[in-house]
Amino acid sequence: MTASNPSRDESSFRPGGRPPRAVPLDSTAQLMNAISSQLGSQLGSQLSLVSLNGARRLAPAPPALVLVGHGSRDPRALSTVRTLIDRVRELRPHLPVHLGHIELNEPLLPDTLAALEDDSRAVLVPLLLSRGYHVKQDIPDAAAAATRVRTHVAAPLGPHPLLVETLHARLTEAGWRTRMSDSARRASAVVLAAAGSRDPESAVDTRRIAQLLAERLGVPVVPAYASAAAPTVPAALRALAARGRHRVAVASYFTAPGRFATACAEAAPWIAAAPLGAHPAMARLVLHRYDQALAATGSTTGSTTDPVCVPALATA
């Protein structure tokens, strides 16, 4: 038996007879990952399930993801949320994604849920950063009232390390230097400007993010609030100045531009970061909360098509 020609055998698998591009593989795990990636990109939505009798049937559609925004009179907020939704769709193209607002913007959440098909499933992901009245009352009430749709309510986005990743990126964009001298570090600090809530659990969540960001930056991070809680941003800035921290940045712990975010930025004595917005890490976090909510119900329907990688959780 004559030996086969390797280059000829390889080229027969490609159009035009071109040999495939070599891919360096350092381990069996990498080989399996490469095979999985190729299968997913080539077959994608063409795959179907086969029943025991050999009949082909389509895979069930995943539950819809309904992103629940607060709503704002600032037109930049709605534009930002729509851009975030576009990023989510790019990460998971086969997932139906919808938007509903608690107030101020259309569509309102009840209208979004009413427009879904009868007996369909939906996961409501709050575009909110901590626990509070909207998360505990408004969104569950809207979900319960949508009797034609089976709903699951996900946890709010925060606290989570992906928010710290986004805050760090926004600060860096605004001029924060990741490398600084010891004297500059001793004079530096960050005020984490948040909306504020009367719910004490909201403050717990915000303090957790401040702690994680302080560990990332190596300087004190003080949470402060635009309303309903203390300290205010100006009060936090005065307290830091009294401790010799005169090089203070304001990190905008808001999902989108708006009145509160603008007021907090205007109080900054040095640099003010942009809101979290449609940063890629935010899209990954939205999908993580969606998958997490489905896993809690024992369903994996929505998470098997395009998994999203997230860092190890610092909180549930």
Side-chain angles (χ1 to χ4, degrees):
M1 180 180 295
T2 59
S4 61
N5 185 335
S7 62
R8 180 178 180 180
D9 289 344
E10 290 175 354
S11 65
S12 65
F13 288 93
R14 294 179 60 87
R18 297 189 307 274
R21 180 170 56 89
V23 178
L25 296 173
D26 299 328
S27 67
T28 302
Q30 284 182 319
L31 173 60
M32 296 305 296
N33 286 338
I35 293 172
S36 299
S37 297
Q38 288 180 353
L39 286 174
S41 62
Q42 292 173 4
L43 299 180
S45 61
Q46 299 178 23
L47 290 176
S48 61
L49 300 179
V50 180
S51 62
L52 293 178
N53 63 7
R56 292 166 62 87
R57 58 186 176 87
L58 295 177
L65 188 162
V66 178
L67 191 64
V68 184
H70 181 277
S72 171
R73 292 183 177 87
D74 190 321
R76 296 174 298 169
L78 182 56
S79 175
T80 299
V81 174
R82 285 175 172 163
T83 301
L84 177 60
I85 287 179
D86 288 341
R87 289 190 181 275
V88 171
R89 287 171 174 155
E90 290 171 0
L91 289 173
R92 199 165 295 182
H94 305 296
L95 178 64
V97 183
H98 305 276
L99 173 63
H101 293 97
I102 296 170
E103 59 182 359
L104 299 177
N105 289 125
E106 294 182 348
L108 294 174
L109 179 56
D111 296 331
T112 297
L113 296 177
L116 297 178
E117 294 182 4
D118 287 352
D119 203 34
S120 60
R121 295 178 61 196
V123 176
L124 281 57
V125 179
L127 190 58
L128 301 169
L129 302 174
S130 62
R131 291 168 290 178
Y133 186 82
H134 293 314
V135 170
K136 296 179 178 180
Q137 197 70 40
D138 287 337
I139 297 176
D141 285 352
T147 55
R148 296 169 45 251
V149 180
R150 291 171 291 163
T151 58
H152 310 282
V153 180
L157 298 185
H160 194 278
L162 285 172
L163 291 172
V164 178
E165 179 180 330
T166 307
L167 287 165
H168 184 271
R170 295 303 189 211
L171 282 167
T172 303
E173 292 168 0
W176 181 271
R177 293 185 178 180
T178 54
R179 295 183 180 180
M180 60 181 70
S181 66
D182 290 342
S183 59
R185 192 173 299 279
R186 286 192 296 269
S188 301
V190 171
V191 168
L192 182 67
S197 170
R198 293 182 177 86
D199 190 319
E201 289 186 318
S202 176
V204 170
D205 293 343
T206 304
R207 285 197 297 270
R208 177 57 178 157
I209 287 293
Q211 176 188 353
L212 293 173
L213 185 59
E215 293 171 359
R216 177 77 179 267
L217 297 175
V219 301
V221 177
V222 177
Y225 305 96
S227 68
T232 64
V233 170
L237 291 169
R238 289 193 296 269
L240 285 168
R243 292 161 49 189
R245 303 279 177 170
H246 301 287
R247 190 171 178 268
V248 182
V250 171
S252 186
Y253 196 44
F254 299 93
T255 56
R259 178 168 59 92
F260 284 163
T262 299
C264 291
E266 289 174 348
W270 179 39
I271 60 174
L276 301 167
H279 189 276
M282 295 292 287
R284 291 157 54 204
L285 180 52
V286 167
L287 285 169
H288 171 65
R289 290 305 191 205
Y290 169 87
D291 291 337
Q292 194 177 43
L294 283 183
T297 69
S299 170
T300 58
T301 304
S303 59
T304 57
T305 305
D306 303 284
V308 175
C309 296
V310 295
L313 300 185
T315 185

